[in-house]
């Protein structure tokens, strides 16, 4: 008897033309490290009296389908998650191609994701997936991954794949070693670690339906937040926090082969941190920053991906 193992799991993704309707073709195999994407339907205890001490049968409640997907920051597959977060990019070039994703779109694409366990067999199709949040961390070492938080409409389980022929991408990963943080065009030194979180603030449309699913997920007010941990060496960031002035922060990765990923927050505001002396070691300060709409360009953020993919 075959038993499910995560090492055999597969994931395929395609953008939907109609929300909640998975396409019959056009799927791409996606690399991922782990996922909590799934659907659950809780049971409601019976409140009825008059039948003795033993309870009556429970009643099914509404379906909730959501979860996280941990994915590598790589040169090709990352574009699918950026499109889910921001919408269609502006693509230029003739190879390598430059894909520029901009915040502020009122319409976000929905995607269909099938997660397969072929040895069971179990293939779960999650339709109407909309990206709620994309986050990652920067450090000195370790594997570089991002977490995509999704809200789905529902789950459909079959014993065989429904994706047809699945295309495969080349896997070219970025690493922490390839990263740099720029402040107003200059390298920001003494950074120990950084966190970046972009959220679409999705609003679930919970209408009355006979299948218990949601009607959709509309984007609300976007948010871009994070944290930078720095070795305390000068008063540049503290002075900015005191003055209440914004700066531009750019989080960038580049490979010698030409691929690159740059994420720019155009107007970042810093809080005044507490600078503690915990002992004889170096002193560090944490800035829990918030980004707002900039003036030039007049948007919250821009993500630029350079690779060999002609379009998303």
């Amino acid at each position: 008897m075959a038993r499910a193992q995560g090492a055999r799991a597969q994931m395929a993704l395609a953008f939907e033309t109609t929300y909640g309707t998975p396409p019959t073709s056009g799927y791409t195999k996606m690399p991922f490290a782990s996922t909590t994407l799934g659907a659950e339907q809780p049971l409601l205890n019976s409140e009825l009296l008059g039948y003795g001490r033993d309870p009556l049968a429970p009643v099914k409640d509404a379906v909730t389908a959501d979860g996280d997907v941990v994915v590598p920051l790589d040169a090709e597959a990352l574009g699918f998650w950026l499109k889910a977060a921001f919408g269609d990019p502006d693509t230029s070039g003739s190879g390598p191609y430059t894909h520029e994703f901009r915040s502020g779109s009122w319409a976000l694409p929905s995607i269909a994701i099938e997660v397969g366990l072929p040895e069971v067999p179990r293939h779960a199709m999650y339709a109407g997936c909309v990206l709620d949040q994309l986050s990652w961390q920067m450090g000195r070492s370790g594997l570089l991954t991002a977490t995509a938080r999704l809200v789905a409409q529902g789950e459909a389980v079959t014993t065989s794949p429904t994706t047809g022929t699945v295309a495969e991408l080349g896997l070219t990963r970025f690493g922490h070693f390839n990263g740099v943080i720029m402040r107003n065009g200059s390298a920001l030194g003494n950074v120990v670690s950084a966190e970046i979180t972009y959220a679409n603030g999705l609003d679930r449309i919970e209408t009355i339906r006979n299948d218990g699913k949601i009607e959709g997920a509309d984007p609300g007010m976007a948010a871009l937040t994070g944290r930078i941990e720095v070795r305390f060496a000068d008063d540049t960031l503290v002075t900015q926090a005191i003055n209440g002035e914004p700066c531009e922060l750019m989080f960038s990765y580049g490979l010698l082969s030409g691929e690159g990923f740059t994420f720019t927050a155009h107007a970042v505001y810093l809080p005044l941190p507490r600078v503690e002396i915990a002992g004889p070691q170096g002193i560090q300060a944490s800035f829990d920053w918030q980004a707002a709409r900039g003036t030039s360009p007049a948007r919250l953020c821009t993500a630029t991906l350079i690779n060999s993919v002609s379009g998303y």
Side-chain angles (χ1 to χ4, degrees), residues 61-279:
D61 201 2
V63 176
T64 300
D66 55 20
D68 296 343
V69 181
V70 178
V71 299
L73 256 68
D74 73 299
E76 296 189 4
L78 179 60
F80 289 90
W81 302 110
L82 292 176
K83 179 177 177 178
F86 300 106
D88 291 323
D90 288 336
T91 300
S92 60
S94 57
Y97 301 91
T98 299
H99 312 279
E100 185 176 271
F101 301 84
R102 301 175 179 178
S103 64
S105 174
W106 287 102
L108 297 179
S110 63
I111 53 182
I113 298 176
E114 184 177 89
V115 179
L117 297 171
E119 73 278 9
V120 175
R122 183 184 191 272
H123 297 269
M125 174 64 75
Y126 300 96
C129 294
V130 183
L131 192 143
D132 187 29
Q133 182 176 294
L134 185 65
S135 61
W136 71 96
Q137 298 180 350
M138 298 183 71
R140 186 175 183 272
S141 62
L143 295 173
L144 178 58
T145 59
T147 300
R149 181 166 299 171
L150 301 166
V151 173
Q153 185 186 43
E155 176 189 69
V157 178
T158 60
T159 58
S160 59
T162 60
T163 56
T165 302
V166 178
E168 294 197 22
L169 298 170
L171 182 60
T172 304
R173 297 186 68 169
F174 299 109
H176 288 293
F177 180 77
N178 310 119
V180 65
I181 302 176
M182 309 286 286
R183 177 183 179 273
N184 291 336
S186 300
L188 182 62
N190 297 300
V191 179
V192 177
S193 63
E195 300 176 9
I196 305 97
T197 300
Y198 175 80
N200 276 314
L202 293 184
D203 179 23
R204 299 173 190 246
I205 311 302
E206 297 179 331
T207 59
I208 299 174
R209 297 170 54 118
N210 61 3
D211 57 7
K213 299 178 181 179
I214 62 174
E215 193 71 25
D218 292 343
M221 187 70 73
L224 178 56
T225 58
R227 167 182 290 195
I228 51 175
E229 185 92 13
V230 299
R231 278 295 181 111
F232 198 70
D234 56 57
D235 289 329
T236 301
L237 298 181
V238 173
T239 300
Q240 177 187 332
I242 294 174
N243 295 336
E245 299 173 347
C247 71
E248 180 182 84
L249 286 183
M250 178 185 296
F251 308 91
S252 181
Y253 303 88
L255 300 177
L256 294 177
S257 53
E259 294 86 356
F261 171 54
T262 300
F263 188 89
T264 305
H266 297 293
V268 172
Y269 293 84
L270 303 176
L272 184 62
R274 176 180 298 181
V275 180
E276 299 181 354
I277 302 175

Side-chain angles (χ1 to χ4, degrees), residues 15-92:
F15 288 96
E16 298 175 339
T17 302
T18 302
Y19 174 81
T21 303
T24 58
S25 61
Y27 287 84
T28 302
K29 182 179 181 180
M30 302 301 295
F32 71 105
S34 64
T35 179
T36 61
L37 186 61
E40 58 183 359
Q41 188 175 24
L43 298 175
L44 300 175
N45 294 331
S46 175
E47 83 285 19
L48 299 180
L49 306 176
Y51 295 88
R53 292 183 57 239
D54 296 334
L56 297 180
V59 178
K60 291 183 178 181
D61 201 2
V63 176
T64 300
D66 55 20
D68 296 343
V69 181
V70 178
V71 299
L73 256 68
D74 73 299
E76 296 189 4
L78 179 60
F80 289 90
W81 302 110
L82 292 176
K83 179 177 177 178
F86 300 106
D88 291 323
D90 288 336
T91 300
S92 60

